[in-house]
PDB file of all heavy atoms in Angstrom:
ATOM      1  N   ILE A   8     114.733  92.949  87.751  1.00 98.00           N
ATOM      2  CA  ILE A   8     113.612  93.248  88.611  1.00 98.00           C
ATOM      3  C   ILE A   8     112.304  92.971  87.903  1.00 98.00           C
ATOM      4  O   ILE A   8     112.094  93.424  86.754  1.00 98.00           O
ATOM      5  CB  ILE A   8     113.631  94.702  89.087  1.00 98.00           C
ATOM      6  CG1 ILE A   8     114.872  94.972  89.938  1.00 98.00           C
ATOM      7  CG2 ILE A   8     112.362  95.070  89.840  1.00 98.00           C
ATOM      8  CD1 ILE A   8     115.028  96.447  90.351  1.00 98.00           C
ATOM      9  N   ASP A  13      99.089  96.833  88.692  1.00 91.00           N
ATOM     10  CA  ASP A  13      97.704  96.709  88.288  1.00 91.00           C
ATOM     11  C   ASP A  13      97.578  97.104  86.812  1.00 91.00           C
ATOM     12  O   ASP A  13      98.550  97.562  86.203  1.00 91.00           O
ATOM     13  CB  ASP A  13      96.807  97.593  89.178  1.00 91.00           C
ATOM     14  CG  ASP A  13      96.860  97.177  90.644  1.00 91.00           C
ATOM     15  OD1 ASP A  13      96.540  96.009  90.925  1.00 91.00           O
ATOM     16  OD2 ASP A  13      97.205  98.034  91.469  1.00 91.00           O
ATOM     17  N   ALA A  16      94.798 102.466  83.785  1.00 92.00           N
ATOM     18  CA  ALA A  16      95.676 103.404  83.080  1.00 92.00           C
ATOM     19  C   ALA A  16      96.623 104.136  84.065  1.00 92.00           C
ATOM     20  O   ALA A  16      97.792 104.316  83.752  1.00 92.00           O
ATOM     21  CB  ALA A  16      94.838 104.431  82.333  1.00 92.00           C
ATOM     22  N   ASP A  24     106.802 104.933  84.883  1.00 97.00           N
ATOM     23  CA  ASP A  24     107.705 105.853  85.507  1.00 97.00           C
ATOM     24  C   ASP A  24     108.720 105.114  86.381  1.00 97.00           C
ATOM     25  O   ASP A  24     109.919 105.453  86.391  1.00 97.00           O
ATOM     26  CB  ASP A  24     106.942 106.874  86.353  1.00 97.00           C
ATOM     27  CG  ASP A  24     106.164 107.864  85.502  1.00 97.00           C
ATOM     28  OD1 ASP A  24     106.470 108.012  84.304  1.00 97.00           O
ATOM     29  OD2 ASP A  24     105.222 108.490  86.041  1.00 97.00           O
ATOM     30  N   LEU A  29     114.232 102.850  87.207  1.00 97.00           N
ATOM     31  CA  LEU A  29     115.086 101.706  87.555  1.00 97.00           C
ATOM     32  C   LEU A  29     115.969 101.304  86.389  1.00 97.00           C
ATOM     33  O   LEU A  29     117.133 100.934  86.568  1.00 97.00           O
ATOM     34  CB  LEU A  29     114.215 100.546  87.987  1.00 97.00           C
ATOM     35  CG  LEU A  29     113.444 100.757  89.324  1.00 97.00           C
ATOM     36  CD1 LEU A  29     112.567  99.554  89.605  1.00 97.00           C
ATOM     37  CD2 LEU A  29     114.407 100.984  90.483  1.00 97.00           C
ATOM     38  N   ALA A  31     117.123 103.366  84.095  1.00 97.00           N
ATOM     39  CA  ALA A  31     118.195 104.388  84.029  1.00 97.00           C
ATOM     40  C   ALA A  31     119.232 104.168  85.112  1.00 97.00           C
ATOM     41  O   ALA A  31     120.391 104.569  84.968  1.00 97.00           O
ATOM     42  CB  ALA A  31     117.573 105.766  84.173  1.00 97.00           C
ATOM     43  N   SER A  37     111.335  93.846  84.012  1.00 96.00           N
ATOM     44  CA  SER A  37     110.254  93.152  83.298  1.00 96.00           C
ATOM     45  C   SER A  37     108.939  93.477  83.995  1.00 96.00           C
ATOM     46  O   SER A  37     108.811  93.235  85.191  1.00 96.00           O
ATOM     47  CB  SER A  37     110.480  91.655  83.287  1.00 96.00           C
ATOM     48  OG  SER A  37     111.665  91.292  82.614  1.00 96.00           O
ATOM     49  N   THR A  83     109.869  93.626  97.630  1.00 97.00           N
ATOM     50  CA  THR A  83     109.833  94.898  98.296  1.00 97.00           C
ATOM     51  C   THR A  83     108.666  94.985  99.297  1.00 97.00           C
ATOM     52  O   THR A  83     107.763  94.149  99.275  1.00 97.00           O
ATOM     53  CB  THR A  83     109.675  96.062  97.278  1.00 97.00           C
ATOM     54  OG1 THR A  83     108.454  95.877  96.554  1.00 97.00           O
ATOM     55  CG2 THR A  83     110.839  96.070  96.297  1.00 97.00           C
ATOM     56  N   ALA A  88     102.128  88.938 106.402  1.00 96.00           N
ATOM     57  CA  ALA A  88     101.204  89.118 107.530  1.00 96.00           C
ATOM     58  C   ALA A  88     100.919  90.601 107.777  1.00 96.00           C
ATOM     59  O   ALA A  88      99.756  90.986 107.961  1.00 96.00           O
ATOM     60  CB  ALA A  88     101.805  88.481 108.794  1.00 96.00           C
ATOM     61  N   LEU A 115      80.794  96.648 111.680  1.00 98.00           N
ATOM     62  CA  LEU A 115      80.745  95.890 110.447  1.00 98.00           C
ATOM     63  C   LEU A 115      79.321  95.540 110.131  1.00 98.00           C
ATOM     64  O   LEU A 115      78.492  95.291 110.984  1.00 98.00           O
ATOM     65  CB  LEU A 115      81.581  94.618 110.577  1.00 98.00           C
ATOM     66  CG  LEU A 115      83.079  94.781 110.775  1.00 98.00           C
ATOM     67  CD1 LEU A 115      83.755  93.431 110.995  1.00 98.00           C
ATOM     68  CD2 LEU A 115      83.722  95.539 109.636  1.00 98.00           C
ATOM     69  N   GLY A 122      73.397  99.246 102.672  1.00 97.00           N
ATOM     70  CA  GLY A 122      72.945 100.029 101.538  1.00 97.00           C
ATOM     71  C   GLY A 122      71.490 100.398 101.553  1.00 97.00           C
ATOM     72  O   GLY A 122      71.014 101.155 100.713  1.00 97.00           O
ATOM     73  N   VAL A 138      90.762  96.403 101.791  1.00 95.00           N
ATOM     74  CA  VAL A 138      91.311  97.252 100.765  1.00 95.00           C
ATOM     75  C   VAL A 138      91.364  96.444  99.425  1.00 95.00           C
ATOM     76  O   VAL A 138      91.724  95.293  99.427  1.00 95.00           O
ATOM     77  CB  VAL A 138      92.724  97.715 101.143  1.00 95.00           C
ATOM     78  CG1 VAL A 138      93.404  98.467  99.968  1.00 95.00           C
ATOM     79  CG2 VAL A 138      92.693  98.603 102.373  1.00 95.00           C
ATOM     80  N   ASP A 165      81.991  92.595  95.218  1.00 94.00           N
ATOM     81  CA  ASP A 165      83.012  91.741  95.902  1.00 94.00           C
ATOM     82  C   ASP A 165      83.307  92.229  97.319  1.00 94.00           C
ATOM     83  O   ASP A 165      84.300  91.830  97.895  1.00 94.00           O
ATOM     84  CB  ASP A 165      84.287  91.654  95.065  1.00 94.00           C
ATOM     85  CG  ASP A 165      84.979  93.023  94.883  1.00 94.00           C
ATOM     86  OD1 ASP A 165      84.329  94.044  95.173  1.00 94.00           O
ATOM     87  OD2 ASP A 165      86.119  93.036  94.473  1.00 94.00           O
ATOM     88  N   GLU A 168      81.047  92.423 103.026  1.00 96.00           N
ATOM     89  CA  GLU A 168      81.143  92.978 104.370  1.00 96.00           C
ATOM     90  C   GLU A 168      81.703  94.396 104.281  1.00 96.00           C
ATOM     91  O   GLU A 168      82.776  94.605 103.686  1.00 96.00           O
ATOM     92  CB  GLU A 168      82.016  92.117 105.270  1.00 96.00           C
ATOM     93  CG  GLU A 168      81.951  92.465 106.742  1.00 96.00           C
ATOM     94  CD  GLU A 168      82.616  91.440 107.626  1.00 96.00           C
ATOM     95  OE1 GLU A 168      83.592  90.817 107.159  1.00 96.00           O
ATOM     96  OE2 GLU A 168      82.205  91.281 108.768  1.00 96.00           O
ATOM     97  N   GLY A 191     107.701 112.640 106.676  1.00 97.00           N
ATOM     98  CA  GLY A 191     106.937 113.921 106.713  1.00 97.00           C
ATOM     99  C   GLY A 191     105.473 113.609 106.727  1.00 97.00           C
ATOM    100  O   GLY A 191     105.026 112.460 106.691  1.00 97.00           O
ATOM    101  N   LEU A 199      84.279 120.390  99.666  1.00 62.00           N
ATOM    102  CA  LEU A 199      83.009 120.956 100.097  1.00 62.00           C
ATOM    103  C   LEU A 199      82.300 121.619  98.905  1.00 62.00           C
ATOM    104  O   LEU A 199      82.907 121.783  97.856  1.00 62.00           O
ATOM    105  CB  LEU A 199      83.221 121.943 101.254  1.00 62.00           C
ATOM    106  CG  LEU A 199      83.907 121.381 102.503  1.00 62.00           C
ATOM    107  CD1 LEU A 199      84.200 122.496 103.472  1.00 62.00           C
ATOM    108  CD2 LEU A 199      83.071 120.297 103.134  1.00 62.00           C
ATOM    109  N   PRO A 214     103.871 121.980 115.630  1.00 94.00           N
ATOM    110  CA  PRO A 214     104.925 121.006 115.996  1.00 94.00           C
ATOM    111  C   PRO A 214     104.409 119.926 116.954  1.00 94.00           C
ATOM    112  O   PRO A 214     104.828 118.775 116.860  1.00 94.00           O
ATOM    113  CB  PRO A 214     105.984 121.889 116.659  1.00 94.00           C
ATOM    114  CG  PRO A 214     105.807 123.226 116.022  1.00 94.00           C
ATOM    115  CD  PRO A 214     104.335 123.371 115.831  1.00 94.00           C
ATOM    116  N   LYS A 215     103.492 120.269 117.820  1.00 93.00           N
ATOM    117  CA  LYS A 215     102.933 119.306 118.780  1.00 93.00           C
ATOM    118  C   LYS A 215     102.151 118.215 118.045  1.00 93.00           C
ATOM    119  O   LYS A 215     102.314 117.029 118.332  1.00 93.00           O
ATOM    120  CB  LYS A 215     102.036 120.024 119.765  1.00 93.00           C
ATOM    121  CG  LYS A 215     101.365 119.106 120.771  1.00 93.00           C
ATOM    122  CD  LYS A 215     100.461 119.898 121.728  1.00 93.00           C
ATOM    123  CE  LYS A 215      99.721 118.953 122.683  1.00 93.00           C
ATOM    124  NZ  LYS A 215      98.810 119.708 123.569  1.00 93.00           N
ATOM    125  N   ARG A 226     104.456 103.874 115.827  1.00 98.00           N
ATOM    126  CA  ARG A 226     103.857 102.790 116.638  1.00 98.00           C
ATOM    127  C   ARG A 226     103.036 101.857 115.751  1.00 98.00           C
ATOM    128  O   ARG A 226     103.124 100.620 115.901  1.00 98.00           O
ATOM    129  CB  ARG A 226     102.978 103.394 117.742  1.00 98.00           C
ATOM    130  CG  ARG A 226     102.447 102.335 118.722  1.00 98.00           C
ATOM    131  CD  ARG A 226     101.561 102.949 119.775  1.00 98.00           C
ATOM    132  NE  ARG A 226     102.285 103.998 120.525  1.00 98.00           N
ATOM    133  CZ  ARG A 226     101.712 104.804 121.419  1.00 98.00           C
ATOM    134  NH1 ARG A 226     100.408 104.705 121.625  1.00 98.00           N
ATOM    135  NH2 ARG A 226     102.411 105.707 122.049  1.00 98.00           N
ATOM    136  N   ARG A 234     107.957  96.911 107.413  1.00 95.00           N
ATOM    137  CA  ARG A 234     109.254  97.392 106.978  1.00 95.00           C
ATOM    138  C   ARG A 234     109.049  98.236 105.725  1.00 95.00           C
ATOM    139  O   ARG A 234     107.938  98.353 105.213  1.00 95.00           O
ATOM    140  CB  ARG A 234     110.216  96.206 106.675  1.00 95.00           C
ATOM    141  CG  ARG A 234     109.749  95.326 105.523  1.00 95.00           C
ATOM    142  CD  ARG A 234     110.772  94.230 105.229  1.00 95.00           C
ATOM    143  NE  ARG A 234     112.030  94.817 104.773  1.00 95.00           N
ATOM    144  CZ  ARG A 234     113.224  94.499 105.343  1.00 95.00           C
ATOM    145  NH1 ARG A 234     113.278  93.618 106.310  1.00 95.00           N
ATOM    146  NH2 ARG A 234     114.339  95.047 104.873  1.00 95.00           N
ATOM    147  N   THR A 237     105.762 103.041 104.491  1.00 98.00           N
ATOM    148  CA  THR A 237     104.391 102.818 104.881  1.00 98.00           C
ATOM    149  C   THR A 237     103.743 104.189 105.134  1.00 98.00           C
ATOM    150  O   THR A 237     104.434 105.217 105.186  1.00 98.00           O
ATOM    151  CB  THR A 237     104.251 101.973 106.175  1.00 98.00           C
ATOM    152  OG1 THR A 237     104.947 102.653 107.252  1.00 98.00           O
ATOM    153  CG2 THR A 237     104.873 100.599 105.969  1.00 98.00           C
ATOM    154  N   GLY A 256      93.395 104.538 108.932  1.00 95.00           N
ATOM    155  CA  GLY A 256      93.839 103.339 108.224  1.00 95.00           C
ATOM    156  C   GLY A 256      95.326 103.389 107.999  1.00 95.00           C
ATOM    157  O   GLY A 256      96.002 104.380 108.299  1.00 95.00           O
ATOM    158  N   LEU A 263     103.192 105.369  94.587  1.00 97.00           N
ATOM    159  CA  LEU A 263     104.507 105.761  94.116  1.00 97.00           C
ATOM    160  C   LEU A 263     104.444 106.551  92.832  1.00 97.00           C
ATOM    161  O   LEU A 263     105.444 106.638  92.087  1.00 97.00           O
ATOM    162  CB  LEU A 263     105.404 104.530  93.961  1.00 97.00           C
ATOM    163  CG  LEU A 263     105.901 103.903  95.257  1.00 97.00           C
ATOM    164  CD1 LEU A 263     106.556 102.546  94.991  1.00 97.00           C
ATOM    165  CD2 LEU A 263     106.870 104.820  95.954  1.00 97.00           C
ATOM    166  N   ARG A 285     115.403 103.508  94.595  1.00 98.00           N
ATOM    167  CA  ARG A 285     116.608 102.748  94.882  1.00 98.00           C
ATOM    168  C   ARG A 285     116.603 102.250  96.341  1.00 98.00           C
ATOM    169  O   ARG A 285     116.969 101.116  96.615  1.00 98.00           O
ATOM    170  CB  ARG A 285     117.845 103.627  94.646  1.00 98.00           C
ATOM    171  CG  ARG A 285     119.162 102.923  94.912  1.00 98.00           C
ATOM    172  CD  ARG A 285     119.514 101.949  93.819  1.00 98.00           C
ATOM    173  NE  ARG A 285     120.698 101.172  94.131  1.00 98.00           N
ATOM    174  CZ  ARG A 285     121.486 100.656  93.203  1.00 98.00           C
ATOM    175  NH1 ARG A 285     121.259 100.884  91.914  1.00 98.00           N
ATOM    176  NH2 ARG A 285     122.537  99.942  93.535  1.00 98.00           N
TER     177      ARG A 285
END
Side-chain angles (χ1 to χ4, degrees):
I8 296 176
D13 298 303
D24 290 341
L29 294 176
S37 298
T83 60
L115 296 177
V138 173
D165 62 346
E168 192 170 29
L199 301 174
K215 178 181 177 181
R226 187 180 302 172
R234 63 177 297 128
T237 60
L263 286 169
R285 180 75 186 208

